[in-house]
Amino acid sequence: MSRAPTTSTASTPGELGDANRSWPVRRGLLLESGPQRKLALAGFVNQLGTAAFLATVPLYALRVIHLSIGQVGLGLSVAGVVGLIAGIPVGHLADRRGPRDIFLITLLIQTLSMTSLLFAHSFLAFTLAVAVTDLAGSSGGAARGPMIRRFGGDEVPKFRSYLRSVAMLASTFGALAAGAVVQIDTDFAYHALIFANALTFIGSAAVLVKLPKLEPLPSPREEDRWIALKDKPYLAFIVLDGIMWIQSEVLSYALPLWVVLHTDAPRWFVGLTIAVNTVMVVFLQIRTSRGIKGGTVAGRATRRAGLAFLIGMAVIATASGVPGWVAVTIMMVGVAIHTVGSLWHAAGSLELRFRLAPAHAQGQYSGVFGMGMGLCYVLAPSLLGLLCVTWGTPGWLVMGGVFVAAGLAMPYVIRWAGRSREIADTVD
């Protein structure tokens, strides 16, 4: 008797793996369990508290410590400058001693400095607390860079893009918490938020301590100790990339002032633009980063980003002098175009940040990169205020032209970097 044919239901290993994964993992909303997920979770917890703190610290200094506006600005400026100087030496230390332990130390320092802010009752105490916090924060960023590079493996751009999406999501929740505290506006509410931020550093450390320890990578014996500071192509990349990163302040600094001072759009529109930008980054950053691998492709993405910034800013500039609902429509289109440019730029920047740096010195190079980013954020308000807010429509076009010029120059710097070192696939 012949056996009737049967249909095989056996699954391939890949299919079984997909079936066993949860829906959020299959959709890319959650990373596979392992070091990458732990690093992302630690970053979310850290950014959640940091975003809430940054949005409320000026008011805390004014209303609880009773400092003047001038003292608050000076204290925060001093802290920002102090934070810039720590990244390079601490990054070098992370390269030589291992990044995880150095990162954990910086989180402990931030816990202590944030807690000390609860007992600050003078300008000096306030400045010291926020300066130490900024110092440890920039140091932690330099130590985190090598961890991202080594745990990211062959998919660093995708992993870093996921981390950026997570950070944006955490910042949104942090801003909501800050808004609640500002609405309550009591000493207890401000103290509770600062204490909660101190706890987020502990929570982040509790997650990171479970990561495997990364041993330092060997470096060439004849190599100069501070190679990142003498790497001219990398420094040129940081200058151009720092100019491009000013774009991140366009929507958070220049646009709100433009809406209020130069358009008839309702003020609530400012919050809507931030929400649109956040949603687009959270859902599109990873997808945008797919295929951005290698210096040549990253350079093209940066070049496209510069053009998108010019177009988006030109659209936003036309919102002045038109009815409110027309201004809202115009600026929403401009914000969407600008955000697409920011997605391209972030993907290219994050690829080049790690690809142009030697593996054994990722911490030191991350420190240099962080210093460039810090200077960008220091200069951005004054530059955008002068061009976009004070000058008006021509200033928006000039700033957009600056972004285009930086984007066009980036591929030449990448080729220069490829000729000056032996790093696999730097420009291919």
Side-chain angles (χ1 to χ4, degrees):
M1 184 175 62
S2 63
R3 186 182 297 270
T6 59
T7 302
S8 173
T9 60
S11 301
T12 66
E15 291 170 339
L16 287 174
D18 289 340
N20 291 332
R21 292 189 302 172
S22 63
W23 180 83
V25 173
R26 293 199 303 270
R27 299 296 298 175
L29 302 177
L30 190 66
L31 295 173
E32 294 277 8
S33 179
Q36 289 189 6
R37 183 189 288 187
K38 289 183 174 66
L39 197 57
L41 176 60
F44 179 87
V45 174
N46 193 337
Q47 184 61 26
L48 181 67
T50 298
F53 170 72
L54 291 177
T56 56
V57 62
L59 286 172
Y60 176 78
L62 286 169
R63 304 181 72 83
V64 179
I65 306 180
H66 303 296
L67 301 181
S68 67
I69 294 178
Q71 287 176 318
V72 174
L74 178 60
L76 294 177
S77 296
V78 169
V81 172
V82 169
L84 293 178
I85 67 177
I88 299 174
V90 174
H92 179 70
L93 185 63
D95 290 328
R96 302 281 62 84
R97 301 295 181 183
R100 190 201 65 174
D101 293 344
I102 299 299
F103 194 13
L104 290 173
I105 291 173
T106 66
L107 290 171
L108 176 60
I109 294 173
Q110 288 179 90
T111 302
L112 297 175
S113 62
M114 187 57 53
T115 303
S116 73
L117 191 57
L118 295 171
F119 306 97
H121 301 293
S122 66
F123 169 72
L124 180 60
F126 168 76
T127 302
L128 183 62
V130 293
V132 173
T133 300
D134 273 20
L135 190 71
S138 63
S139 300
R144 187 170 180 252
M147 298 172 68
I148 295 173
R149 176 67 184 87
R150 293 173 68 176
F151 286 130
D154 294 332
E155 295 187 336
V156 171
K158 180 180 177 181
F159 179 42
R160 189 60 184 84
S161 296
Y162 181 86
L163 293 179
R164 182 174 186 244
S165 298
V166 167
M168 289 288 290
L169 188 62
S171 296
T172 301
F173 289 131
L176 292 175
V181 169
V182 172
Q183 181 65 35
I184 297 171
D185 196 30
T186 63
D187 288 7
F188 177 79
Y190 288 113
H191 281 134
L193 186 144
I194 288 176
F195 182 68
N197 187 29
L199 292 180
T200 63
F201 297 126
I202 296 177
S204 183
V207 175
L208 291 173
V209 76
K210 300 177 182 179
L211 288 174
K213 185 174 181 179
L214 295 173
E215 297 298 331
L217 298 176
S219 60
R221 292 180 178 273
E222 70 279 2
E223 182 177 80
D224 188 276
R225 183 177 182 181
W226 303 111
I227 59 170
L229 292 175
K230 298 182 178 180
D231 190 335
K232 294 179 181 179
Y234 196 83
L235 294 178
F237 155 68
I238 286 178
V239 170
L240 293 178
D241 195 55
I243 292 172
M244 294 292 286
W245 273 111
I246 293 176
Q247 58 84 11
S248 65
E249 296 293 293
V250 169
L251 300 186
S252 62
Y253 181 83
L255 184 63
L257 294 175
W258 180 251
V259 169
V260 173
L261 300 177
H262 294 276
T263 77
D264 293 325
R267 296 191 177 190
W268 54 258
F269 177 69
V270 172
L272 180 61
T273 62
I274 300 299
V276 169
N277 175 257
T278 300
V279 169
M280 290 183 67
V281 170
V282 169
F283 287 98
L284 298 178
Q285 185 65 76
I286 298 176
R287 180 175 297 180
T288 304
S289 300
R290 292 173 184 168
I292 308 296
K293 187 173 183 180
T296 300
V297 179
R300 291 173 186 157
T302 305
R303 188 169 56 198
R304 290 198 305 270
L307 183 59
F309 294 145
L310 174 60
I311 296 173
M313 295 176 75
V315 172
I316 291 172
T318 63
S320 179
V322 300
W325 67 271
V326 178
V328 167
T329 303
I330 290 173
M331 286 190 289
M332 188 59 71
V333 173
V335 167
I337 296 172
H338 187 92
T339 302
V340 170
S342 75
L343 294 171
W344 284 333
H345 169 235
S349 172
L350 297 171
E351 166 71 356
L352 294 170
R353 170 187 175 179
F354 294 107
R355 184 166 292 275
L356 298 181
H360 68 275
Q362 288 285 331
Q364 186 182 151
Y365 275 74
S366 291
V368 174
F369 183 86
M371 184 173 67
M373 289 279 288
L375 288 172
C376 142
Y377 290 128
V378 168
L379 297 174
S382 298
L383 182 61
L384 293 175
L386 175 64
L387 293 179
C388 300
V389 181
T390 302
W391 194 1
T393 299
W396 283 89
L397 299 178
V398 169
M399 192 67 242
V402 171
F403 290 138
V404 169
L408 290 174
M410 189 67 79
Y412 296 98
V413 170
I414 295 170
R415 286 195 285 271
W416 179 21
R419 292 192 299 268
S420 66
R421 70 199 67 197
E422 294 180 357
I423 297 180
D425 295 329
T426 293
V427 297
D428 296 324

